[in-house]
């Protein structure tokens, strides 16, 4: 019986006869001799939609990035060179998943070749070699697509390696500045290359970057070309995360590229090459100098050493002519070189090089010498922006796994830009369900005659369980059958569900918070949190001359009452330091912990595990702008941001959160305390899920505190702490 080597949800990508692309979620299974996919996770003896036998004659074709409704997928095509029309095309929303599948399939092919080799039967194979590589680990995606046809005729070289990932390579006009080219070779290929770039001079260090200026040989630099400059920096993130961020042109780019104003897709040439339109946001006397825009070809590849190369060069396009009010700048050469470095303290590190040789055109370049350099440095500072983007929080390391690219239409680019700037984060994080919904009721055949799949019913009947449905189902399973009597609990801070109430609390709607979905490990999508696991039954507002720890020992508190009734409590004690110490205490109650659940493992785990999982999602729906910006709404791991003390009682767990232990949190707190009576603050608490079996995330509980009065706090009477 064939053994399952790898399986999981992937995307079926194709184009219909009318030219429109489609994607469907399918469950792929790779066995030692077979690749198959199903409409749902196979059980018993379910017949697959399509199968492809795997042997030493199979090939994995890298088709690069394909765009579907503005979202990009990474496409692989698997086929047997003896029957190229029988193939399976699969795609992933992130390049990491595509690379895993590619590696797994190629390893199976290698095993078949080795086994046949020992039996004296060798598979015909093919390897592409380029004289331009000069020993560098070049990308097999540079290989010309026509070479795939030559495989059948290459029987005279049975000992060559099998690697055959195929692509069209870079356009002839694009200069690959990442390769070391000697002078003789550059002279031989002078028609394609402007000049050989071998010498760089350190110009300055800025924002933690090294800025280099090119020193060309002799007079090889044409007068019409500006001098190339590049920025080099180290970013604590993986090459894949950085690459996917660089390839996106959605609103996320505003967060790391200060020279970006707007970008769109003009034409998708192939999976590695596209024509883009790009507007620059330059701050050099904007009232006097006209804005600049670009139309350029972008080519990318992944090298065999794990690095990524993205190359730019300006070109004209019939659908992207000059616009009134803009000066069309010209990129002679440019792009990114993203190379892996050795990890430091367990964190991935990447060297990012960003090169630009651009002529901004216009009168400013000719009359003011500083204009060109100032604007060029502004563009190169995007490397520092990438570094800071990934260094902010642990959440930020999850770069957009679905790069976004807007298609340029015949409508005015101006209206497109306005539409883009008005997009909300919800649009930028479209869930897989929305994408599936756009493909429901499809009934046309794809280009590989997969009729059995496409003529079946709507995708909603066969798609994997949606994150929302999975979350709701799990919540219902853990919800107690009989309701808790809330009337037995009380706190000194009153509950009031009216919108305009003051000095009170209420239960915040869980759908106001977004948490990791069931598919988060696959596509980094998030969903509304929905119903929490525990019920918020009371809140206390305390003050004292010293910090108040272990408040659950107070007689008559909600935790004590819950314990007497056999209920389990989780108490969150938010400690606010100052000349007078304050504590806002929330009591969450449930019937009992579900054995083996993530919440149960958190409650009974050690402090290191708790610190790595306890998460707070804050929000300030009502308050001054500076407070809302300072607090933000980014999820935060409490145990990593501030000191947390955990007290495990017989029927409760108390978490004492010392806000004063963090300088940053203390500074924000200073802003909040001064205007606390004018604020409405939402807080959601949850245990972070990291693996597929821990997802989707579920809230422990969520609370809204409205217009809290400092004078309303009381001094608690705490019993002696017997836990010390």
């Amino acid at each position: 019986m064939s053994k399952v080597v790898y399986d999981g949800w992937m995307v079926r990508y194709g184009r219909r006869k009318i030219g429109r692309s489609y994607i469907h979620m399918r469950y792929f299974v790779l066995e030692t001799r077979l690749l198959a996919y199903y409409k749902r996770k196979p059980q018993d003896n379910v017949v697959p939609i399509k199968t492809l036998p795997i042997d030493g004659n199979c090939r994995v074709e890298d088709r690069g990035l394909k765009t579907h409704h503005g979202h990009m997928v990474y496409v692989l095509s698997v086929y047997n060179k003896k029957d190229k029309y029988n193939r399976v095309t699969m795609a992933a929303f992130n390049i990491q998943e595509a690379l895993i599948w590619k590696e797994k399939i190629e390893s199976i092919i290698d095993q078949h070749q080795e086994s046949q080799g020992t039996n004296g039967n060798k598979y015909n194979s093919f390897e592409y070699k380029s004289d331009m590589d000069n020993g560098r680990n070049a990308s097999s995606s540079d290989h010309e697509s026509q070479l795939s046809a030559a495989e059948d005729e290459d029987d005279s070289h049975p000992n060559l390696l099998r690697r055959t990932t195929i692509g069209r390579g870079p356009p002839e006009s694009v200069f690959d500045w990442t390769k070391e080219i000697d002078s003789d070779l550059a002279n031989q290929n002078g028609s394609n290359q402007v000049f050989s770039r071998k010498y760089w001079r350190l110009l300055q260090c800025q924002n933690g970057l090294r800025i280099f200026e090119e020193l060309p040989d002799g007079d090889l630099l044409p007068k019409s070309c500006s001098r190339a400059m590049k920025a080099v920096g180290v970013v604590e993130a993986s090459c894949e995360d950085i690459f996917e961020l660089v390839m996106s042109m959605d609103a996320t780019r505003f967060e790391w590229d200060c020279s970006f104003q707007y970008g769109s897709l003009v034409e998708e040439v192939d999976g590695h090459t596209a024509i883009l339109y790009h507007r620059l946001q330059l701050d050099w006397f904007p009232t006097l100098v006209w804005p600049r825009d670009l139309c350029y070809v972008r080519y990318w590849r992944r090298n065999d050493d794990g690095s990524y190369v993205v190359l730019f060069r300006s070109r004209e396009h019939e659908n992207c002519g000059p616009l009134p009010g803009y000066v069309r700048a010209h990129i002679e050469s440019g792009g990114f070189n993203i190379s892996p470095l050795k990890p430091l303290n367990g964190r991935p590190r990447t060297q990012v090089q960003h090169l630009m040789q651009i002529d901004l055109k216009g009168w400013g370049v000719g009359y003011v010498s500083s204009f060109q350099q100032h604007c060029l440095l502004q563009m190169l500072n995007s490397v520092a922006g990438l570094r800071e983007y990934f260094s902010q929080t642990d959440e930020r390391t999850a770069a957009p796994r679905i790069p976004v690219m807007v298609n340029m239409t015949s409508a005015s680019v101006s209206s497109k830009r306005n539409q883009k700037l008005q997009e909300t984060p919800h649009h930028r994080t479209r869930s897989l369900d929305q994408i599936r919904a756009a493909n429901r009721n499809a009934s046309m055949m794809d280009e590989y005659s997969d009729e059995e799949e496409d003529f079946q019913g709507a995708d909603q009947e066969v798609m994997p369980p949606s994150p929302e449905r999975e979350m709701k189902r799990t919540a219902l399973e853990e919800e107690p059958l009989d309701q808790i009597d809330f009337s037995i609990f009380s706190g000194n801070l009153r509950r009031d569900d009216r919108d305009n109430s003051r000095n009170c609390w209420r239960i915040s709607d869980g759908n106001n918070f977004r948490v990791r979905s069931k598919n988060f490990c696959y596509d980094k999508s998030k969903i509304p949190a929905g119903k929490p696991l525990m019920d918020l039954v009371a809140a206390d507002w305390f003050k004292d001359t010293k910090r108040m720890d272990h408040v659950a020992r107070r007689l008559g508190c909600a935790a004590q009452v819950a314990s007497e009734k056999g209920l389990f409590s989780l108490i969150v004690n938010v400690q606010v330091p100052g000349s007078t110490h304050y504590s806002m205490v929330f009591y969450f109650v449930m019937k009992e912990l579900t054995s083996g659940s993530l919440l149960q493992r958190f409650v009974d785990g050690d402090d290191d595990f708790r610190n790595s999982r306890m998460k707070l999602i804050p929000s300030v729906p009502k308050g001054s702008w500076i407070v809302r910006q300072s607090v933000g709404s980014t999820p935060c791991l409490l145990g990593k941001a501030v000191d947390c003390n955990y007290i495990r009682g017989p029927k409760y767990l108390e978490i004492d959160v010392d806000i004063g232990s963090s300088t940053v949190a203390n500074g924000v707190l200073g802003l909040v305390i001064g205007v606390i009576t004018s604020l409405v603050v939402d807080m959601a608490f949850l245990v972070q899920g990291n693996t597929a079996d821990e997802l989707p995330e579920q809230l422990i509980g969520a609370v809204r505190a409205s217009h809290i009065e400092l004078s309303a706090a009381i001094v608690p009477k705490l019993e002696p702490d017997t836990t010390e």
Side-chain angles (χ1 to χ4, degrees):
M1 183 175 179
S2 187
K3 177 185 176 183
V4 175
V5 177
Y6 197 68
D7 61 346
W9 290 102
M10 288 285 281
V11 177
R12 278 280 297 123
Y13 173 87
R15 289 192 177 274
R16 308 192 188 284
K17 291 182 177 180
I18 59 175
R20 297 177 65 89
S21 64
Y22 70 87
I23 58 176
H24 299 305
M25 292 301 299
R26 296 293 179 256
Y27 197 87
F28 282 77
V29 177
L30 174 64
E31 301 178 357
T32 53
R33 294 185 177 274
L34 194 72
L35 176 64
Y37 64 86
Y38 306 76
K39 282 203 171 185
R40 56 175 65 87
K41 190 172 183 179
Q43 296 178 351
D44 301 327
N45 295 320
V46 178
V47 178
I49 298 172
K50 190 170 184 177
T51 60
L52 179 69
I54 301 295
D55 59 28
N57 283 316
C58 286
R59 301 290 181 263
V60 184
E61 196 173 283
D62 172 15
R63 295 199 166 188
L65 283 168
K66 298 292 185 179
T67 304
H68 177 79
H69 294 310
H71 295 288
M72 288 188 260
V73 292
Y74 301 86
V75 182
L76 300 174
S77 183
V78 187
Y79 68 95
N80 191 302
K81 75 171 189 175
K82 300 298 184 182
D83 183 13
K84 293 183 180 179
Y85 295 100
N86 179 25
R87 62 174 65 207
V88 171
T89 303
M90 58 200 304
F93 286 114
N94 62 78
I95 199 167
Q96 293 97 325
E97 188 69 18
L99 291 174
I100 291 173
W101 275 97
K102 180 175 180 289
E103 179 183 346
K104 297 291 185 182
I105 297 172
E106 287 182 339
S107 67
I108 297 299
I109 298 173
D110 286 339
Q111 291 174 15
H112 283 288
Q113 285 194 329
E114 291 172 0
S115 62
Q116 291 295 327
T118 56
N119 295 331
N121 298 323
K122 294 184 179 180
Y123 285 101
N124 299 326
S125 54
F126 165 80
E127 182 185 36
Y128 173 80
K129 292 183 179 293
S130 171
D131 294 334
M132 297 285 288
D133 288 347
N134 281 345
R136 180 184 176 90
N137 288 327
S139 168
S140 50
S141 63
D142 279 347
H143 308 164
E144 296 292 336
S145 58
Q146 290 83 357
L147 294 173
S148 60
E151 282 187 330
D152 297 331
E153 304 171 1
D154 197 37
D155 297 341
S156 60
H157 302 283
N159 296 323
L160 292 178
L161 298 177
R162 177 198 44 80
R163 302 296 176 185
T164 63
T165 308
I166 297 166
R168 296 185 181 180
E172 292 184 0
S173 62
V174 175
F175 177 77
D176 190 351
W177 54 270
T178 64
K179 292 184 177 180
E180 294 292 337
I181 304 175
D182 57 43
S183 300
D184 294 337
L185 190 59
N187 293 333
Q188 296 171 10
N189 296 275
S191 60
N192 294 334
Q193 312 297 345
V194 178
F195 54 90
S196 173
R197 298 195 180 103
K198 295 177 60 179
Y199 306 106
W200 294 92
R201 178 174 66 89
L202 181 63
L203 188 65
Q204 62 181 9
C205 292
Q206 177 177 310
N207 294 335
L209 308 177
R210 289 181 298 153
I211 308 295
F212 291 89
E213 183 180 46
E214 177 203 9
L215 296 177
D217 292 335
D219 298 327
L220 291 177
L221 181 67
K223 293 182 179 180
S224 60
C225 295
S226 60
R227 185 164 294 186
M229 295 177 65
K230 70 176 179 180
V232 182
V234 176
V235 180
E236 288 193 352
S238 67
C239 291
E240 286 72 23
D241 284 342
I242 298 171
F243 169 73
E244 289 174 343
L245 205 60
V246 165
M247 296 294 283
S248 295
M249 279 201 175
D250 63 344
T252 309
R253 197 177 183 104
F254 292 115
E255 299 185 34
W256 60 272
D257 187 354
C258 62
S259 67
F260 176 77
Q261 186 186 68
Y262 168 75
S264 64
L265 174 66
V266 179
E267 179 187 349
E268 187 176 81
V269 180
D270 59 44
H272 291 266
T273 310
I275 310 297
L276 305 181
Y277 174 75
H278 188 152
R279 283 182 183 169
L280 297 174
Q281 180 72 45
L282 304 176
D283 59 4
W284 196 89
F285 291 105
T287 57
L288 299 177
V289 179
W290 280 22
R292 263 58 177 176
D293 66 357
L294 300 162
C295 180
Y296 59 93
V297 57
R298 182 188 69 186
Y299 165 80
W300 72 272
R301 71 167 183 265
R302 182 181 187 273
N303 293 325
D304 292 337
D305 61 357
S307 63
Y308 290 85
V309 171
V310 184
L311 304 175
F312 306 147
R313 178 158 183 158
S314 283
R315 62 159 293 175
E316 296 180 355
H317 195 279
E318 58 183 0
N319 296 332
C320 187
L323 294 178
Y326 285 85
V327 175
R328 180 61 53 90
H330 179 81
I331 298 177
E332 187 62 38
S333 183
F336 291 86
N337 189 11
I338 305 168
S339 306
L341 300 174
K342 290 183 178 180
L344 182 65
N345 298 326
R347 294 179 63 90
R349 295 191 309 144
T350 300
Q351 183 193 73
V352 179
Q353 299 184 51
H354 182 21
L355 178 140
M356 286 297 291
Q357 183 187 10
I358 185 172
D359 185 354
L360 293 172
K361 304 292 185 178
W363 68 267
V365 178
Y367 289 97
V368 185
S369 59
S370 61
F371 170 70
Q372 175 87 14
Q373 182 167 328
H374 171 86
C375 296
L376 194 51
L377 288 174
Q378 186 176 341
M379 286 183 271
L380 295 179
N381 268 333
S382 63
V383 179
L386 285 169
R387 184 190 62 218
E388 295 304 313
Y389 181 93
F390 285 104
S391 67
Q392 295 301 309
T393 66
D394 290 338
E395 288 289 328
R396 274 291 178 85
T397 59
R401 290 304 193 275
I402 307 178
V404 177
M405 181 67 66
V406 177
N407 284 300
M408 174 179 282
T409 65
S410 57
S412 69
V413 179
S414 179
S415 63
K416 270 290 186 181
R417 174 197 168 211
N418 292 336
Q419 177 185 353
K420 192 67 179 177
L421 293 179
Q422 292 171 2
E423 281 189 345
T424 64
H426 173 71
H427 292 121
R428 298 200 306 268
T429 56
R430 284 179 65 186
S431 67
L432 289 179
D433 284 343
Q434 291 173 291
I435 298 174
R436 296 187 195 110
N439 292 282
R440 287 177 182 170
N441 301 315
S443 59
M444 298 289 290
M445 292 187 298
D446 67 23
E447 58 180 331
Y448 301 123
S449 302
D450 202 3
E451 301 96 340
E452 183 178 356
E453 174 182 353
D454 291 308
F455 277 112
Q456 295 194 23
D459 278 3
Q460 60 186 359
E461 300 175 2
V462 296
M463 71 176 88
S466 72
E468 288 85 353
R469 291 200 301 273
E470 189 72 19
M471 180 269 295
K472 292 177 181 177
R473 180 182 63 79
T474 308
L476 289 174
E477 288 175 353
E478 298 203 25
E479 186 177 358
L481 297 178
D482 50 343
Q483 297 297 317
I484 297 174
D485 182 8
F486 293 161
S487 63
I488 63 176
F489 303 102
S490 63
N492 74 295
L493 190 64
R494 66 186 179 89
R495 174 176 178 173
D496 194 328
D497 292 335
R498 293 175 299 179
D499 290 336
N500 297 324
S501 299
R502 302 183 65 84
N503 196 40
C504 62
W505 66 271
R506 59 183 287 191
I507 296 175
S508 184
D509 185 356
N511 289 323
N512 293 334
F513 307 92
R514 297 185 65 80
V515 297
R516 296 179 173 183
S517 72
K518 186 69 176 176
N519 291 327
F520 181 84
C521 295
Y522 177 75
D523 59 14
K524 304 304 177 186
S525 61
K526 292 192 175 184
I527 57 173
K531 182 177 174 60
L533 290 171
M534 305 183 73
D535 292 303
L536 178 59
V537 297
D540 281 323
W541 182 221
F542 293 146
K543 67 179 179 181
D544 205 342
T545 55
K546 60 182 182 299
R547 192 178 69 189
M548 292 154 282
D549 297 325
H550 195 186
V551 295
R553 57 195 160 111
R554 185 175 67 91
L555 292 178
C557 73
Q560 297 280 354
V561 173
S563 181
E564 293 172 0
K565 298 294 183 180
L567 305 175
F568 178 81
S569 303
L570 190 141
I571 305 100
V572 179
N573 176 16
V574 182
Q575 300 170 325
V576 183
S579 55
T580 299
H581 291 258
Y582 293 90
S583 276
M584 179 73 74
V585 187
F586 305 110
Y587 302 89
F588 301 97
V589 173
M590 67 188 310
K591 282 286 186 180
E592 59 182 358
L593 291 170
T594 302
S595 178
S597 67
L598 179 58
L599 180 58
Q600 181 267 322
R601 290 190 284 125
F602 172 80
V603 169
D604 295 330
D606 57 24
D607 286 357
D608 289 339
F609 178 77
R610 292 164 175 164
N611 285 332
S612 67
R613 294 301 187 95
M614 186 62 186
K615 186 188 290 186
L616 165 69
I617 306 178
S619 177
V620 181
K622 184 177 180 181
S624 66
W625 178 87
I626 189 171
V627 172
R628 284 187 280 115
Q629 292 298 313
S630 299
V631 174
S633 59
T634 303
C636 168
L637 289 173
L638 281 176
K640 292 187 176 182
V642 296
D643 292 341
C644 293
N645 185 32
Y646 303 90
I647 301 101
R648 181 68 164 98
K651 294 291 288 185
Y652 67 83
L653 173 68
E654 178 175 331
I655 307 172
D656 293 340
V657 183
D658 183 9
I659 302 297
S661 60
S662 166
T663 305
V664 175
N666 217 6
V668 175
L669 191 62
L671 292 173
V672 172
I673 286 295
V675 293
I676 192 171
T677 57
S678 64
L679 297 181
V680 175
V681 180
D682 282 349
M683 288 177 283
F685 302 95
L686 66 155
V687 181
Q688 178 171 286
N690 290 339
T691 59
D693 60 331
E694 297 173 347
L695 298 172
E697 289 180 334
Q698 293 175 264
L699 297 183
I700 295 172
V703 60
R704 170 170 291 187
S706 302
H707 306 289
I708 302 299
E709 299 284 349
L710 295 177
S711 59
I714 66 171
V715 179
K717 182 179 180 181
L718 301 177
E719 298 298 314
D721 194 347
T722 58
T723 63
E724 295 180 351

